[in-house]
């Protein structure tokens, strides 16, 4: 129709933190992280930053475990990509917890400052 405007895909900035089961080997952890990075990029998203926070102890037990491997993804994507990513998190028994947050301009500035601090340390 001539009334229809061209469809524009809305790209938002997101941060996702997910915790993997501590009984996984190093190769299994790398494979799981790569799987989720591929989900973002194959659906048209762009992975800005990928951080491995390592094995951390929990404040309380989750699935009878006291620790887990923490990972953070900072990415730009359409909302449907977040839905696809979280669907895979729910299906995967290796993922113990996850949280995705849409970043506003203040959170984006804070994330950028955090990345600069990390690169300055390295």
């Amino acid at each position: 129709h001539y009334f229809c405007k061209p469809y524009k895909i809305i790209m938002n900035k997101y941060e996702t933190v997910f915790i993997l089961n501590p009984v996984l080997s190093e190769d299994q952890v790398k494979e799981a992280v790569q799987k989720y990075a591929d989900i973002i990029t194959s659906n048209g998203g762009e992975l800005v930053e990928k951080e491995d926070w390592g094995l951390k102890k929990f404040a309380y037990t989750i699935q009878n475990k006291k620790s887990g491997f923490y990972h953070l993804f900072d990415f730009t994507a359409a909302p449907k990509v977040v839905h696809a990513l979280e669907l895979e998190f729910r299906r995967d028994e290796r993922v113990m917890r996850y949280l995705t947050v849409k970043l506003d301009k203040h959170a984006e500035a804070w994330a950028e400052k955090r990345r600069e601090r990390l690169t300055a340390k390295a």
Side-chain angles (χ1 to χ4, degrees):
H1 276 106
Y2 58 91
F3 291 115
C4 295
K5 292 181 181 176
Y7 181 69
K8 184 180 178 205
I9 298 174
I10 299 168
M11 300 293 272
N12 297 316
K13 292 197 176 231
Y14 297 97
E15 268 188 1
T16 295
V17 175
F18 59 99
I19 306 171
L20 296 172
N21 199 316
V23 299
L24 299 174
S25 70
E26 191 174 323
D27 291 337
Q28 289 171 319
V29 170
K30 284 181 184 175
E31 187 268 325
V33 170
Q34 189 58 50
K35 172 187 172 183
Y36 296 117
D38 291 344
I39 288 172
I40 293 169
T41 55
S42 66
N43 284 305
E46 179 191 346
L47 200 58
V48 177
E49 185 75 24
K50 187 166 59 169
E51 294 178 19
D52 175 5
W53 292 350
L55 187 66
K56 297 211 178 269
K57 193 172 180 186
F58 299 147
Y60 54 90
T61 59
I62 301 173
Q63 299 175 4
N64 295 321
K65 305 284 189 292
K66 295 182 179 184
S67 61
F69 292 106
Y70 281 70
H71 289 274
L72 174 121
F73 285 168
D74 194 353
F75 62 99
T76 305
K80 70 177 182 85
V81 177
V82 174
H83 178 70
L85 183 67
E86 290 187 343
L87 183 64
E88 283 302 314
F89 282 150
R90 285 192 292 275
R91 288 180 176 166
D92 195 340
E93 61 200 26
R94 299 174 293 187
V95 177
M96 299 172 72
R97 290 279 193 281
Y98 65 89
L99 178 67
T100 302
V101 178
K102 180 180 168 188
L103 301 179
D104 63 3
K105 63 181 180 180
H106 304 295
E108 286 177 37
W110 183 85
E112 186 64 38
K113 202 180 295 183
R114 189 191 74 236
R115 279 196 298 274
E116 288 171 5
R117 233 183 3 245
L118 286 173
T119 54
K121 284 183 181 178

